[in-house]
Amino acid sequence: MKDLISQFKYRGDAELSLIFADDLFKLARREFPGFHTAVPIPLHPTRLWERGFNQASLLGQKFPAEELLIRDGLSTKQSKSSGKDRRDNAEGAFMLKHPADWSEKHILLIDDIYTTGSTIEAAALPFWEAGALRVSAVTAARALKKAPL
């Protein structure tokens, strides 16, 4: 799975999103019925330019998805960061594109990998601050701690 995600995310094989898109949509409908909208985690424009695509947007292609967040500030690459650094990098990294009242709404975030949860938590914060009733997330993969040898 690590190799597949790496090929998708870092080596530009955007077509691999098709492997995950249907299953992510089915998972979300089963686990989070009635979500109001799905929101792919945005990349900073510099990262988007480097990759040529936003992997979370591709994973969300089957959803009624909206690009509602802006990535504010360019942080160190999360994949190269420790757990504490991931939290520090993600803190305050997202803001809503347009102010809105999200009261009584269930937002579903979409991302590629859940490692520490820092990115998801930071992306959820603007929705919580705007009154969201619930914020959930689906990801294509979850990183596990390495087993001790």
Side-chain angles (χ1 to χ4, degrees):
M1 185 63 136
K2 183 178 178 180
D3 291 339
L4 188 63
I5 293 288
S6 181
Q7 184 174 342
F8 167 49
K9 188 172 178 176
Y10 302 116
R11 291 195 286 277
D13 198 346
E15 291 295 311
L16 288 175
S17 66
L18 299 174
I19 293 172
F20 303 105
D22 282 332
D23 287 336
L24 275 180
F25 183 66
K26 290 174 190 172
L27 172 70
R29 284 192 0 206
R30 184 182 71 235
E31 297 296 321
F32 308 112
F35 63 87
H36 175 74
T37 192
V39 179
I41 300 292
L43 294 175
H44 185 276
T46 302
R47 298 274 185 263
L48 182 58
W49 182 83
E50 288 172 356
R51 289 196 189 137
F53 61 91
N54 178 350
Q55 66 279 0
S57 294
L58 292 177
L59 292 170
Q61 60 191 297
K62 302 289 182 176
F63 290 82
E66 298 179 79
E67 305 279 343
L68 298 174
L69 291 171
I70 296 171
R71 188 116 192 192
D72 188 30
L74 181 59
S75 63
T76 305
K77 291 181 180 181
Q78 291 290 67
S79 62
K80 306 291 183 196
S81 302
S82 69
K84 181 186 180 318
D85 290 339
R86 284 173 185 265
R87 285 185 293 282
D88 292 344
N89 290 342
E91 189 174 334
F94 300 97
M95 57 189 236
L96 292 173
K97 278 187 178 181
H98 308 288
D101 180 10
W102 290 98
S103 299
E104 305 304 313
K105 303 286 193 231
H106 180 186
I107 308 303
L108 180 70
L109 300 173
I110 304 168
D111 206 3
D112 56 349
I113 303 170
Y114 181 101
T115 305
T116 64
S118 299
T119 300
I120 297 291
E121 289 174 15
L125 185 60
F127 291 106
W128 289 124
E129 291 174 343
L133 178 66
R134 186 173 179 195
V135 181
S136 304
V138 291
T139 62
R142 178 162 185 173
L144 300 175
K145 289 183 179 181
K146 292 181 180 179
L149 299 175

